[in-house]
Amino acid sequence: MSRPEASPKSYARGREPEASVALALLATMRRDLLALLRRPGAAFNSLAFFALVITLFPIGISPDPELLATIAPGLLWVAALLAALLSLDGMFRDDFADGTLEQLLLAAQPLPLMALAKVAVHWLTTGLPLALMAPVLGVMLSLPPGSYAVLVLSLALGSATLSVIGAIGAALTVGLSRGGVLLSLLVLPLYVPVLIFGAGAVQAAIAGTSVAAHLALLGALLAVSLVFAPWAIAASLRISLNG
Amino acid sequence: MSLRLQARKLACERDGRWLFRDLDLEIRSGEILRVEGPNGSGKTTLLKILSGQLADYEGSIFWRDAPLRRVHRNFLASLLYLGHAPGVKAALTPLENLAWYQAMAGTGGTEAQRMSALEMVGLRGFEDLPAGQLSAGQQRRVALARLELTPRPLWVLDEPFTAIDREGVADLEARLAAHVRGGGSVVLTTHQALDIPVPMCRVRLGEGKGNVAS
Amino acid sequence: MWAFFHKLASPKGFYAFSARLSPWFWAAAAVLIGAGVVWGLAFAPADYQQGNSFRIIYVHVPAAFLAQSIFVAMALAGLVFMVWKIKLADMAATAMAPLGAGMTFVALLSGAVWGVPTWGTWWQWDARLTSMLILFFLYIGVIALRGAFDGRDSGSRAASVLTMVGVINIPIIKYSVEWWYTLHQPATFSITSRPAMPVEMWLPLLIMVLGFYSFFIAVTLTRTRSVILHRESAKRWVRELAGEDG
């Protein structure tokens, strides 16, 4: 770790690339988590939004448990998806405003990887909590027993893809003053496959059929987006910052 | 290791308008290059091009006689850029902010180094306060502490004197002079009258064409 | 050879070249679509199941083809623009986007109209219609994103990235929507995936498809020309051109 203190003329040239990338990734994740911890409101908001939307449906449709049970998988998934979407806009916005995003782009580390660190923090602070909270709301919607584990698993897996793909939209709109609505317009069509396989997994669990195919496809979506999206996020960030 | 950043026949067009054309520049060790021009003349754009952030230009840039695009990673490891925004996260303390910059520079660094850097910019006693509670000038000083913390030969500074008080300006001038005397070099924009006893080149932008004057 | 392409890729060169090319495509589009409409609507035999209402296929299918092809073409143009920084490619993508959105809308509308005699409703969550609807949203997103940027160059680049992301997603969306559809409505039959069509039915369809493609090329050439004039309005050759014309 330690390095002799650099005298003004022996300029630090950075360390071995791999070590320095790992160090930078960890430092960035630590910094973002710390910043969120100091202001937990943002992460809490999307959870509250999730609960609120779920509350609206029985009021708007019917309190009939049987009806709710049939639509619960879809409702839970759509509401979680919207809650994740709501928090996307903030993924890069603070960093953009305070100039740290500009500095991130100037770092010698590869930007796609560094962007992925920020995506990971987003998932840890929104997608994962949403997935963990979903069973409680499932009970309120009379979600049939036996599908709860699949609900959590599909949401945890699917929301990671939502964060990765959503980051492209967030990066494209971070420089726009009113990017929020536009962001939903850009990102929601791309969310369709995740919704289909995610809600499908829960429905399959309720029907008692195999959920393996659904979960495998969700995993495949995550793998594909992890391969392609970081480059798109990096390119979008450069466009938003430097035109 | 001699430092040399060269730009030849640099031209930048934005949305159909030429910001500058046929701009030839050279910055070597021990030199300060000051970019001047009215608002909107492309000073920040030029600084972003010279710091490798903008790739949308015509002409060529060489870093240590190699094309910038080819040695980009190497170049970034020798560069310290301070932009319009200070690059300081409001939720974090100055110490935590600097720790991130150290990690990004590839060194873990020590708390003692960060403390001494903060002390040099006159922020002793503020190191554990969230940066959001500091004044604009103090936040700028946190950014300037990076000049001490991560030694890099080439500094590109966009309006570094913004929001800095008079003593701060004198301190920064002294630091720039020391950096240049130590073999470093600086590219900067400022509206401030500079009082630095080292060789200084000027580039004047505006009028659609950059004019170089020594 | 390269000099020719280089000249063609410059807005000025393309402007001159396309002036000679576009009338041919307009003529081809008019002849093919005219022939296809007459043949398809008047002479092709009626469908044994759907009667005459199947004839809407002669609009629906070509429009749906174009809707997808134009998005792919925009993505290719975006790639060329981002990699080789050829501004003409971006101008073409700008010119294509509204036509693509329009074609998607035509495909949706004709699908909905077709739904009335076939399903008895204006809208059915058919797999093809659903993915067409999502494609429509993708088009709107690209157009809106381009317009949202103050700087034209940034808007172009952002739209290019989004188009490329979209084109990777289109097959995934199509596949997943089809999977979803078969899970939920295995019984309903889809309007266009039908077995062997007799020659006298698909030949006019082929002519219509070719006609629509000619129309697309003609519109793109003409619209790209006007985008060129708009963007290069400060350049000398455009001013001279304007001077000549009065």
Side-chain angles (χ1 to χ4, degrees):
Chain A
M1 282 297 279
S2 74
R3 186 193 154 80
E5 188 150 336
S7 71
K9 273 175 197 161
S10 75
Y11 296 109
R13 298 289 304 274
R15 287 151 50 99
E16 288 304 301
E18 296 79 25
S20 109
V21 166
L23 182 69
L25 281 174
L26 280 177
T28 305
M29 288 180 69
R30 209 182 89 89
R31 181 199 69 170
D32 283 7
L33 283 172
L34 205 61
L36 266 162
L37 217 66
R38 300 260 164 85
R39 290 177 187 170
F44 178 74
N45 283 349
S46 50
L47 287 179
F49 178 83
F50 186 27
L52 245 167
V53 171
I54 290 299
T55 313
L56 292 181
F57 279 102
I59 296 173
I61 300 171
S62 143
D64 173 25
E66 266 178 49
L67 175 67
L68 288 178
T70 54
I71 57 173
L75 285 191
L76 287 164
W77 249 96
V78 170
L81 184 147
L82 291 178
L85 178 77
L86 203 65
S87 63
L88 270 185
D89 193 41
M91 196 189 284
F92 299 112
R93 199 162 280 279
D94 282 353
D95 288 15
F96 180 78
D98 63 25
T100 47
L101 194 58
E102 185 178 38
Q103 295 293 336
L104 191 72
L105 264 64
L106 278 165
Q109 288 83 4
L111 183 59
L113 266 179
M114 301 311 296
L116 219 46
K118 294 198 66 73
V119 173
V121 171
H122 181 261
W123 176 74
L124 278 174
T125 54
T126 36
L128 193 60
L130 285 173
L132 294 176
M133 185 176 151
V136 180
L137 301 173
V139 172
M140 291 163 71
L141 291 180
S142 339
L143 187 72
S147 57
Y148 284 79
V150 176
L151 175 69
V152 175
L153 198 61
S154 69
L155 271 176
L157 204 56
S159 63
T161 315
L162 299 186
S163 291
V164 177
I165 296 176
I168 303 173
L172 280 172
T173 54
V174 68
L176 306 172
S177 50
R178 284 162 208 268
V181 182
L182 182 61
L183 173 59
S184 329
L185 184 61
L186 305 188
V187 161
L188 279 178
L190 306 178
Y191 278 3
V192 168
V194 180
L195 176 65
I196 286 175
F197 298 126
V202 185
Q203 282 160 351
I206 295 174
T209 54
S210 165
V211 296
H214 289 91
L215 292 179
L217 283 165
L218 275 181
L221 285 180
L222 178 60
V224 169
S225 50
L226 278 176
V227 170
F228 287 107
W231 308 99
I233 302 169
S236 308
L237 285 175
R238 290 195 198 283
I239 292 166
S240 283
L241 261 91
N242 299 319
Chain B
M1 108 186 148
S2 97
L3 183 162
R4 195 150 90 123
L5 182 67
Q6 267 179 305
R8 278 203 216 112
K9 291 219 163 286
L10 210 58
C12 182
E13 182 203 332
R14 269 304 161 94
D15 297 328
R17 190 172 69 95
W18 288 100
L19 288 173
F20 44 81
R21 283 163 111 155
D22 287 332
L23 194 62
D24 289 310
L25 296 171
E26 185 168 340
I27 308 126
R28 295 164 179 274
S29 301
E31 283 182 354
I32 293 185
L33 176 74
R34 179 170 177 177
V35 180
E36 296 172 336
N39 294 336
S41 58
K43 298 189 293 286
T44 295
T45 306
L46 178 59
L47 255 54
K48 284 195 160 195
I49 289 175
L50 290 177
S51 57
Q53 299 182 67
L54 265 180
D56 188 27
Y57 59 85
E58 286 168 29
S60 37
I61 302 182
F62 298 91
W63 170 246
R64 291 186 174 130
D65 299 322
L68 181 64
R69 286 174 219 259
R70 200 145 16 102
V71 291
H72 195 244
R73 293 281 284 278
N74 187 309
F75 170 74
L76 286 179
S78 315
L79 168 78
L80 201 154
Y81 176 90
L82 293 186
H84 273 282
V88 173
K89 290 212 85 56
L92 303 184
T93 67
L95 275 179
E96 289 161 346
N97 271 296
L98 292 183
W100 182 67
Y101 281 112
Q102 275 187 321
M104 294 306 289
T107 56
T110 64
E111 175 118 352
Q113 289 172 346
R114 299 192 275 275
M115 287 297 275
S116 81
L118 283 174
E119 199 172 335
M120 296 208 39
V121 294
L123 283 179
R124 193 186 180 89
F126 293 97
E127 59 279 335
D128 281 326
L129 230 56
Q133 293 177 23
L134 303 180
S135 74
Q138 285 173 314
Q139 290 190 16
R140 177 66 63 173
R141 282 163 185 261
V142 176
L144 291 173
R146 293 176 51 207
L147 300 177
E148 300 296 329
L149 196 66
T150 45
R152 297 281 175 88
L154 176 64
W155 292 357
V156 177
L157 312 174
D158 196 352
E159 300 288 348
F161 295 98
T162 310
I164 301 268
D165 59 19
R166 224 175 39 215
E167 291 100 88
V169 169
D171 278 356
L172 182 53
E173 281 174 348
R175 195 166 300 120
L176 292 179
H179 176 64
V180 170
R181 282 200 201 98
S185 48
V186 179
V187 181
L188 61 78
T189 63
T190 177
H191 295 294
Q192 191 98 19
L194 281 184
D195 178 24
I196 306 176
V198 289
M200 193 180 312
C201 306
R202 290 163 197 275
V203 179
R204 185 144 185 91
L205 298 181
E207 303 108 42
K209 181 179 159 88
N211 300 312
V212 185
S214 249
Chain C
M1 187 71 183
W2 280 115
F4 173 73
F5 276 116
H6 190 75
K7 189 167 164 253
L8 201 59
S10 82
K12 188 185 171 186
F14 180 83
Y15 190 82
F17 181 70
S18 59
R20 279 184 283 143
L21 210 58
S22 70
W24 293 101
F25 281 100
W26 279 113
V31 170
L32 288 169
I33 292 177
V37 164
V38 173
W39 191 353
L41 295 193
F43 296 104
D47 186 74
Y48 72 100
Q49 237 181 346
Q50 299 185 40
N52 277 322
S53 68
F54 99 98
R55 292 182 199 280
I56 208 161
I57 201 175
Y58 295 116
V59 176
H60 178 79
V61 169
F65 270 22
L66 265 196
Q68 296 173 42
S69 309
I70 293 178
F71 206 93
V72 175
M74 280 165 58
L76 287 176
L79 187 73
V80 169
F81 172 62
M82 293 296 277
V83 175
W84 291 285
K85 303 197 171 13
I86 296 175
K87 292 199 170 168
L88 182 65
D90 176 59
M91 296 182 193
T94 315
M96 283 181 231
L99 182 67
M103 280 299 157
T104 319
F105 188 72
V106 169
L108 280 172
L109 198 69
S110 55
V113 171
W114 200 349
V116 177
T118 315
W119 300 311
T121 71
W122 285 92
W123 184 259
Q124 176 98 1
W125 289 97
D126 167 79
R128 279 175 194 252
L129 282 183
T130 308
S131 36
M132 200 49 76
L133 183 63
I134 295 164
L135 181 64
F136 185 61
F137 291 133
L138 282 174
Y139 270 114
I140 292 183
V142 170
I143 295 172
L145 184 67
R146 186 187 288 278
F149 279 81
D150 291 328
R152 193 185 61 216
D153 290 347
S154 341
S156 297
R157 278 186 263 269
S160 300
V161 169
L162 184 66
T163 320
M164 286 189 268
V165 170
V167 93
I168 294 174
N169 272 276
I170 285 176
I172 300 175
I173 293 172
K174 261 185 87 105
Y175 169 74
S176 60
V177 168
E178 266 161 35
W179 154 298
W180 159 80
Y181 183 72
T182 48
L183 276 188
H184 288 270
Q185 274 129 322
T188 329
F189 89 119
S190 187
I191 43 181
T192 47
S193 62
R194 295 168 338 105
M197 222 188 240
V199 178
E200 52 276 27
M201 267 169 149
W202 66 253
L203 209 57
L205 183 60
L206 183 70
I207 290 174
M208 281 302 272
V209 169
L210 289 176
F212 267 61
Y213 274 98
S214 306
F215 176 69
F216 158 57
I217 295 172
V219 171
T220 306
L221 288 177
T222 306
R223 280 185 51 88
T224 307
R225 285 163 60 80
S226 79
V227 173
I228 289 174
L229 286 189
H230 184 69
R231 291 210 190 162
E232 307 256 300
S233 56
K235 298 260 164 83
R236 199 199 292 154
W237 71 270
V238 178
R239 289 208 187 135
E240 280 170 4
L241 201 71
E244 272 171 31
D245 293 355

